[in-house]
């Protein structure tokens, strides 16, 4: 602990222009802020017809009136706070804006159905192994023409995945949206691609 | 026609019928026998006979019981029916097995994808406050690429995001005065872009831009220098045009 304090002092000595949080905000204010952060970061909104989670950095800045360094610092501290609860603060980019939200540190039940996971897995499997643009028709070929799923089922799944922020559909070309990248790390996506090859 | 005759007639027709029946029963028994062989063989080898083929076979022998006389024939008939039933079961189970395997495989894949997911944590339900993003337009992209100081500055400016920018109104006389000043400052001189930025205010830069577009002053860029002149030959520069972006520093 002592060492840690020393380090903090040194950092403060090196960069005096950075406003250190504990000095500016009392413990009471901080606990109030953390409560509010939990509330806002676990909210789900609808933005441009898709679900988004948490809050954008600019909204947090405007709401708290902090400067960017203080905000980032407080979020760093909040990260350590929620870690105890098995949660992680994730940062993702949406339309060029930085967003913060919470995610489970371990496996947690998702609101997706099994069939939707199959379609998402197929998309990940294909996107991870090929570089050409993934067309909707390729997904349909893989799932419908081989009698694995019904056409309406695949359409329904694609619509739900788009709405949930997992995939983006632009002129029948499918690509990852922010949520796939947040919920599936690079390693997980590689493993899914391997599993996909097996079936 | 006597009774005897009629009896004889009846007898003869009965004989024909019996003959026909025995012919039929022979043919039908033959069919029964062949089908029974076919089905017992398929069942032994676990080869599935298709639904349509099986149904046609069943139709062929559906009325067979009418023509069967001996117990042996009836036994073959019942054996064939047992074959039909067993084949039906085999068919169903094999179809189910195929479906089950594919289903199972997809299920497993779905479960694997679900298990790899570190789901976003959120509270379910519809928020009562509608989401509205701050409409910062293109500025958002601008600060993305700038450095930390720029972001700080932007945030400070952002606090009064609704403030209307002040407009400066110039009278004709003002414009003429500005133009005169600019002629004095710039004409027949050459400047580097940086120098020019230090020399001009925002309003002066606007007026300069206006003068250039109205061809009151001519600017030619040579290496790093911008050379200002008047009444130049515009024909020689026809079709050659370029823009220089100035960020005036003078207040």
């Amino acid at each position: 602990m002592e060492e840690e304090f020393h380090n903090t002092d040194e950092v403060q000595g090196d960069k005096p222009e950075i406003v250190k949080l504990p000095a500016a905000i009392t413990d009471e204010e901080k606990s109030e802020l953390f409560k509010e952060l939990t509330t806002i970061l676990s909210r789900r909104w609808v933005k441009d017809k898709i679900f988004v989670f948490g809050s954008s950095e600019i909204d947090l800045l405007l709401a708290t009136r902090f400067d960017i360094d203080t905000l980032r610092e407080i979020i760093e501290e909040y990260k350590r706070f929620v870690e105890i609860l098995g949660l992680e603060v994730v940062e993702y980019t949406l339309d060029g804006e930085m967003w913060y939200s919470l995610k489970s540190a371990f496996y947690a039940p998702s609101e997706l159905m099994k069939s939707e996971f199959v379609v998402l897995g197929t998309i990940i499997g294909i996107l991870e192994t090929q570089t050409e643009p993934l067309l909707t028709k390729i997904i349909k070929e893989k799932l419908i023409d081989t009698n694995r799923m019904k056409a309406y089922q695949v359409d329904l799944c694609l619509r739900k995945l788009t709405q949930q922020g997992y995939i983006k559909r632009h002129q029948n070309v499918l690509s990852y949206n922010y949520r796939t990248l947040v919920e599936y790390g690079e390693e997980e996506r590689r493993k899914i691609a391997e599993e996909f090859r097996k079936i | 026609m006597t009774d005897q005759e009629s009896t004889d007639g009846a007898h003869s027709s009965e004989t024909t019928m019996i003959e026909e029946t025995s012919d039929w029963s022979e043919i039908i028994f033959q069919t029964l026998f062949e089908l029974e062989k076919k089905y017992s063989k398929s069942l032994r080898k676990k080869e599935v006979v298709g639904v349509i083929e099986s149904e046609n076979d069943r139709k062929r022998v559906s009325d067979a019981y009418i023509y069967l006389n001996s117990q042996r024939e009836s036994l073959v008939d019942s054996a064939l029916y047992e074959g039909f039933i067993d084949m039906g079961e085999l068919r169903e189970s094999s179809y189910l097995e195929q479906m089950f395997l594919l289903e199972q495989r997809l299920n497993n894949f779905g479960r694997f994808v679900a298990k790899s997911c570190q789901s976003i944590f959120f509270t379910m339900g519809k928020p009562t406050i509608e989401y509205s993003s701050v409409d910062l337009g293109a500025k958002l992209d601008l600060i993305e690429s700038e450095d930390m100081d720029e972001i700080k500055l932007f945030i400070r400016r952002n606090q009064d995001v609704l403030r209307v920018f002040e407009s400066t109104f110039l009278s004709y006389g003002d414009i003429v005065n500005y133009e005169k000043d600019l002629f004095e400052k710039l004409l027949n001189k050459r400047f580097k872009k940086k120098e020019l930025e230090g020399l001009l205010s925002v309003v002066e830069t606007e007026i300069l831009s206006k003068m250039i577009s109205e061809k009151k002053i001519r600017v030619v860029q040579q290496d790093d220098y911008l050379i200002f002149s008047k009444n130049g030959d515009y024909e020689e520069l026809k079709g050659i045009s370029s823009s220089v972006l100035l960020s005036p520093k003078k207040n």
Side-chain angles (χ1 to χ4, degrees):
Chain A
M1 281 299 278
E2 272 180 19
E3 270 181 21
E4 272 180 35
F5 278 122
H6 273 295
N7 286 339
T8 329
D9 285 342
E10 274 170 24
V11 173
Q12 271 177 330
D14 289 339
K15 291 177 182 175
E17 74 275 10
I18 293 177
V19 185
K20 278 287 170 190
L21 179 72
I25 299 166
T26 65
D27 279 355
E28 248 175 64
E29 280 172 336
K30 212 194 302 174
S31 81
E32 194 61 36
L33 198 63
F34 280 6
K35 280 179 205 164
E36 285 173 13
L37 266 177
T38 312
T39 312
I40 192 75
L41 294 187
S42 60
R43 282 282 187 277
R44 181 173 71 174
W45 317 91
V46 179
K47 187 173 182 264
D48 299 332
K49 292 182 188 167
I50 65 159
F51 283 124
V52 291
F53 301 86
S55 170
S56 69
E57 191 171 64
I58 204 86
D59 280 348
L60 287 180
L61 284 169
L62 290 173
T64 54
R65 303 260 165 167
F66 287 152
D67 62 83
I68 196 134
D69 285 341
T70 315
L71 181 77
R72 285 187 179 163
E73 210 173 315
I74 210 161
I75 283 174
E76 280 306 311
E77 199 167 334
Y78 181 71
K79 274 182 189 172
R80 290 194 289 277
F81 171 70
V82 290
E83 209 183 328
I84 307 161
L85 305 171
L87 295 174
E88 283 172 19
V89 178
V90 285
E91 293 150 23
Y92 59 92
T93 321
L94 196 70
D95 302 333
E97 251 182 274
M98 167 99 109
W99 281 67
Y100 291 104
S101 98
L102 292 173
K103 86 167 181 179
S104 160
F106 306 99
Y107 164 75
S110 169
E111 79 261 50
L112 291 188
M113 313 275 284
K114 194 68 72 59
S115 56
E116 286 147 11
F117 274 124
V118 171
V119 176
L120 180 64
T122 310
I123 292 169
I124 293 176
I126 298 170
L127 277 178
E128 287 300 307
T129 44
Q130 69 171 38
T131 44
E132 298 119 52
L134 172 59
L135 299 169
T136 320
K137 96 169 178 229
I138 298 174
I139 292 290
K140 290 189 175 173
E141 266 169 27
K142 292 267 178 206
L143 292 170
I144 302 164
D145 298 351
T146 51
N147 285 329
R148 289 193 169 104
M149 286 172 95
K150 299 270 181 291
Y152 75 91
Q153 222 179 350
V154 174
D155 276 336
L156 209 68
C157 290
L158 287 175
R159 216 174 305 148
K160 184 152 179 211
L161 289 172
T162 313
Q163 189 203 26
Q164 293 282 349
Y166 282 99
I167 54 167
K168 270 192 278 199
R169 234 198 298 196
H170 183 64
Q171 291 178 342
N172 272 338
V173 176
L174 298 172
S175 58
Y176 294 140
N177 206 349
Y178 73 94
R179 204 167 164 192
T180 312
L181 301 173
V182 165
E183 295 189 356
Y184 296 92
E186 222 164 276
E187 183 64 20
E188 279 82 16
R189 275 181 276 143
R190 195 184 52 78
K191 279 183 186 165
I192 288 169
E194 264 172 36
E195 281 295 311
F196 175 68
R197 225 172 295 143
K198 284 184 200 164
I199 65 160
Chain B
M1 205 159 78
T2 58
D3 278 350
Q4 184 61 43
E5 272 174 359
S6 69
T7 326
D8 280 353
H11 183 75
S12 67
S13 72
E14 203 178 311
T15 324
T16 342
M17 261 187 72
I18 288 168
E19 273 174 9
E20 270 180 15
T21 318
S22 69
D23 279 352
W24 264 113
S25 64
E26 199 123 304
I27 293 164
I28 281 174
F29 180 67
Q30 191 71 25
T31 317
L32 277 178
F33 190 75
E34 276 170 16
L35 285 177
E36 204 278 326
K37 279 260 171 217
K38 174 185 165 185
Y39 277 87
S40 61
K41 197 177 156 191
S42 298
L43 280 168
R44 212 171 41 244
K45 288 187 171 178
K46 296 225 182 274
E47 282 172 357
V48 178
V49 178
V51 184
I52 298 169
E53 191 185 342
S54 191
E55 186 60 21
N56 286 338
D57 289 343
R58 197 192 59 77
K59 272 184 193 161
R60 273 171 72 192
V61 290
S62 60
D63 294 332
Y65 68 97
I66 305 168
Y67 305 99
L68 299 177
N69 301 320
S70 68
Q71 200 184 4
R72 189 172 144 263
E73 287 169 355
S74 298
L75 277 173
V76 174
D77 186 40
S78 49
L80 176 59
Y81 267 85
E82 210 181 328
F84 281 143
I85 294 162
D86 289 348
M87 182 51 73
E89 277 174 8
L90 176 71
R91 194 184 303 125
E92 271 171 27
S93 65
S94 83
Y95 283 165
L96 279 173
E97 203 176 18
Q98 279 177 22
M99 282 163 72
F100 175 75
L101 271 175
L102 184 65
E103 186 89 337
Q104 189 67 30
R105 263 182 286 158
L106 275 187
N107 245 341
N108 285 345
F109 180 59
R111 199 178 302 136
F112 183 83
V113 179
K115 262 163 66 183
S116 321
C117 167
Q118 273 179 273
S119 162
I120 281 185
F121 175 84
F122 68 98
T123 42
M124 286 289 274
K126 221 178 159 211
T128 43
I129 319 158
E130 286 301 312
Y131 175 82
S132 63
S133 62
V134 182
D135 189 19
L136 298 167
K139 279 179 187 169
L140 219 64
D141 293 331
L142 273 176
I143 58 159
E144 278 278 305
S145 57
E146 298 296 338
D147 61 4
M148 217 53 170
D149 293 338
E150 278 288 316
I151 295 172
K152 275 188 197 167
L153 196 71
F154 176 76
I155 300 304
R156 213 170 300 145
R157 263 186 288 156
N158 209 31
Q159 287 177 353
D160 46 5
V161 76
L162 293 174
R163 187 174 64 89
V164 181
F165 287 110
E166 283 171 24
S167 304
T168 317
F169 293 98
L170 296 175
S171 66
Y172 180 71
D174 291 336
I175 296 171
V176 172
N177 282 338
Y178 272 117
E179 285 183 358
K180 257 185 205 167
D181 283 355
L182 284 170
F183 275 133
E184 276 172 25
K185 264 189 200 172
L186 308 173
L187 211 57
N188 301 324
K189 285 176 192 167
R190 55 182 210 165
F191 301 92
K192 276 193 173 174
K193 195 184 154 208
K194 280 252 165 86
E195 290 171 4
L196 202 62
E197 284 174 352
L199 204 68
L200 297 176
S201 71
V202 179
V203 180
E204 279 172 333
T205 320
E206 291 271 356
I207 301 283
L208 178 64
S209 173
K210 183 173 153 305
M211 285 162 72
I212 294 167
S213 69
E214 286 172 357
K215 297 186 179 172
K216 285 181 181 168
I217 192 162
R218 192 177 81 151
V219 197
V220 181
Q221 188 170 18
Q222 254 175 23
D223 303 326
D224 287 349
Y225 290 97
L226 294 166
I227 304 163
F228 293 88
S229 59
K230 208 180 175 186
N231 302 326
D233 185 5
Y234 281 95
E235 281 304 309
E236 80 182 75
L237 295 173
K238 206 172 180 186
I240 305 163
S241 165
S242 169
S243 301
V244 176
L245 187 71
L246 294 177
S247 314
K249 300 281 190 296
K250 199 181 150 195
N251 283 320

